[in-house]
């Protein structure tokens, strides 16, 4: 049961970190507003739930599918516009990107407070996501956690297919590794930048939809995940999906196991100590990627 709790936490981090490994690992943008895109995805789910409760009460359970799609599309669209307006002027300027996106995160949090209020709100899970699945005599696995794990696996598989089995994915890799050569071969690198950033933010919105099934949401919900998501990407290896899997599993299972053996404060401290030790021997992460952005 403790192992499943760790994997469950890791699946949430995986959803949050897959988008971050694209924007940070591949594009080299330190997006401190990534957590706020998680928040936007969560509030999108909340609004969709309210619409279904008011106008489609008979088909309330279907709101989950609509929310999953809209949380991805809305945050992807916002990410696309953000890249067009601000982010494209911050490439190769990591310090500026950190400060600008941090300021943007504060703006988005305040907008959420103005629109939805400061108190947390709750999203009602449909009946098919409630309850537990009995495994053996003493182990009950929550259905909502299993659903999040399934979504994380599907999202990871979709991103892997996109990056390694499609022309668009090959163009992304070519642009991030050698922009000048990619442009010389006819690839519209500016368009690739916009769509890649949109993909990363869209995945953050998908993570936001998923986290509404396990607790209340508020304007600062993204801050609960952004630090661990960054650690996940860095310790696993920025820009690699395999590294993201390792990092999320390490953080999820490591946190829950060490907290169970000690207490929450000591457990988190021990995990950070292990992260420091790993980075001493693997400064680029366990599964490092050699690319133009990282080598620079």
């Amino acid at each position: 049961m403790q192992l499943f709790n760790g994997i469950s936490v890791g699946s949430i981090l995986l959803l949050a970190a897959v988008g971050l490994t694209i924007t940070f690992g591949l594009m080299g943008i330190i997006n401190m507003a990534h957590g706020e895109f998680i928040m936007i995805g969560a509030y999108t789910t909340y609004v969709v739930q309210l619409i279904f409760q008011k106008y489609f009460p008979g088909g309330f359970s279907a709101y989950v599918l609509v929310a999953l799609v809209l949380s991805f599309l809305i945050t992807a669209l916002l990410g696309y516009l953000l890249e067009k307006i601000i982010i494209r002027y911050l490439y190769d300027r990591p310090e500026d990107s950190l400060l600008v996106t941090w300021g943007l995160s504060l703006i988005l949090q305040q907008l959420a407070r103005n629109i939805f209020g400061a108190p947390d709100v709750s999203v009602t899970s449909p009946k098919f996501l409630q309850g537990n699945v009995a495994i053996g005599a003493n182990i009950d696995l929550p259905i909502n956690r299993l659903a999040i794990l399934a979504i994380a696996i599907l999202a990871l598989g979709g991103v892997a297919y996109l990056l390694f089995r499609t022309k668009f994915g090959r163009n992304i890799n070519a642009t991030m590794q050698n922009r000048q050569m990619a442009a010389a071969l006819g690839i519209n690198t500016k368009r690739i930048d916009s769509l890649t950033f949109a993909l990363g933010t869209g995945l953050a919105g998908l993570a936001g939809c998923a986290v509404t099934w396990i607790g209340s949401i508020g304007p600062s919900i993204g801050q609960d995940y952004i630090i661990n998501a960054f650690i996940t990407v860095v310790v696993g290896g920025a820009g690699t999906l395999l590294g993201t899997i390792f990092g999320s599993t390490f953080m999820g299972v490591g946190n829950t196991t060490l907290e169970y053996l000690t207490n929450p404060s000591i457990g988190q401290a021990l995990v950070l100590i292990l992260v420091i030790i790993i980075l001493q021997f693997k400064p680029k992460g366990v599964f490092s990627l050699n690319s133009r952005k990282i080598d620079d």
Side-chain angles (χ1 to χ4, degrees):
M1 189 64 196
Q2 199 62 33
L3 177 62
F4 174 77
N5 288 338
I7 294 174
S8 175
V9 173
S11 66
I12 298 172
L13 283 177
L14 179 62
L15 272 176
V18 167
L20 192 61
T21 199
I22 292 174
T23 56
F24 175 54
L26 291 180
M27 302 183 71
I29 291 293
I30 304 175
N31 182 15
M32 296 302 294
H34 189 79
E36 278 53 59
F37 285 99
I38 296 175
M39 175 199 69
I40 292 171
Y43 274 117
T44 299
T45 304
Y46 174 69
V47 172
V48 171
Q49 173 210 234
L50 295 181
I51 293 174
F52 268 77
Q53 284 178 336
K54 184 174 182 178
Y55 298 105
F56 310 103
F60 176 74
S61 296
Y63 93 84
V64 171
L65 298 177
V66 177
L68 283 169
V69 174
L70 287 182
S71 61
F72 177 85
L73 292 179
I74 290 174
T75 51
L77 177 60
L78 290 175
Y80 182 85
L81 295 175
L82 177 64
E83 197 281 337
K84 288 284 189 183
I85 298 171
I86 299 175
I87 298 298
R88 66 171 42 191
Y89 303 106
L90 301 175
Y91 294 122
D92 298 318
R93 297 165 58 188
E95 296 85 359
D96 293 340
S97 70
L98 188 153
L99 291 173
V100 170
T101 55
W102 179 65
L104 180 64
S105 73
L106 298 179
I107 294 172
L108 291 175
Q109 286 183 48
Q110 190 57 47
L111 281 175
R113 291 188 183 95
N114 292 341
I115 296 172
F116 299 101
D120 289 358
V121 296
S122 298
V123 174
T124 303
S125 298
K127 291 183 178 179
F128 66 83
L129 288 178
Q130 299 175 11
N132 302 300
V133 175
I135 305 294
N138 300 315
I139 300 179
D140 292 325
L141 306 183
I143 295 176
N144 57 351
R145 298 271 184 170
L146 290 171
I148 293 174
L149 179 60
I151 291 173
I153 293 173
L154 289 174
L156 185 68
V159 171
Y161 179 82
L162 180 69
L163 290 179
F164 304 118
R165 290 292 184 267
T166 67
K167 180 181 179 180
F168 176 63
R170 290 191 291 272
N171 288 345
I172 290 177
N173 286 301
T175 300
M176 300 313 158
Q177 291 181 25
N178 193 320
R179 180 179 299 274
Q180 290 75 21
M181 181 59 71
L185 293 174
I187 297 174
N188 187 339
T189 57
K190 291 185 177 180
R191 181 172 178 270
I192 291 296
D193 288 337
S194 300
L195 292 177
T196 303
F197 194 82
L199 175 62
T201 55
L203 291 168
L206 195 63
C209 178
V211 300
T212 62
W213 303 340
I214 59 175
S216 59
I217 59 174
S220 61
I221 187 173
Q223 300 303 307
D224 298 335
Y225 295 95
I226 185 64
I227 300 300
N228 281 340
F230 265 110
I231 295 175
T232 295
V233 172
V234 171
V235 75
T240 67
L241 293 181
L242 187 59
T244 305
I245 296 172
F246 171 83
S248 60
T249 304
F250 172 81
M251 291 296 295
V253 175
N255 264 316
T256 55
T257 302
L258 292 175
E259 287 177 10
Y260 175 77
L261 295 175
T262 56
N263 62 57
S265 298
I266 295 177
Q268 291 180 7
L270 290 174
V271 168
L272 292 178
I273 291 173
L274 290 175
V275 169
I276 293 172
I277 293 173
I278 290 174
L279 293 180
Q280 288 295 315
F281 295 96
K282 291 281 189 177
K284 292 185 179 181
V286 176
F287 298 93
S288 59
L289 174 69
N290 292 320
S291 73
R292 177 180 61 86
K293 287 293 181 186
I294 295 176
D295 285 342
D296 290 347

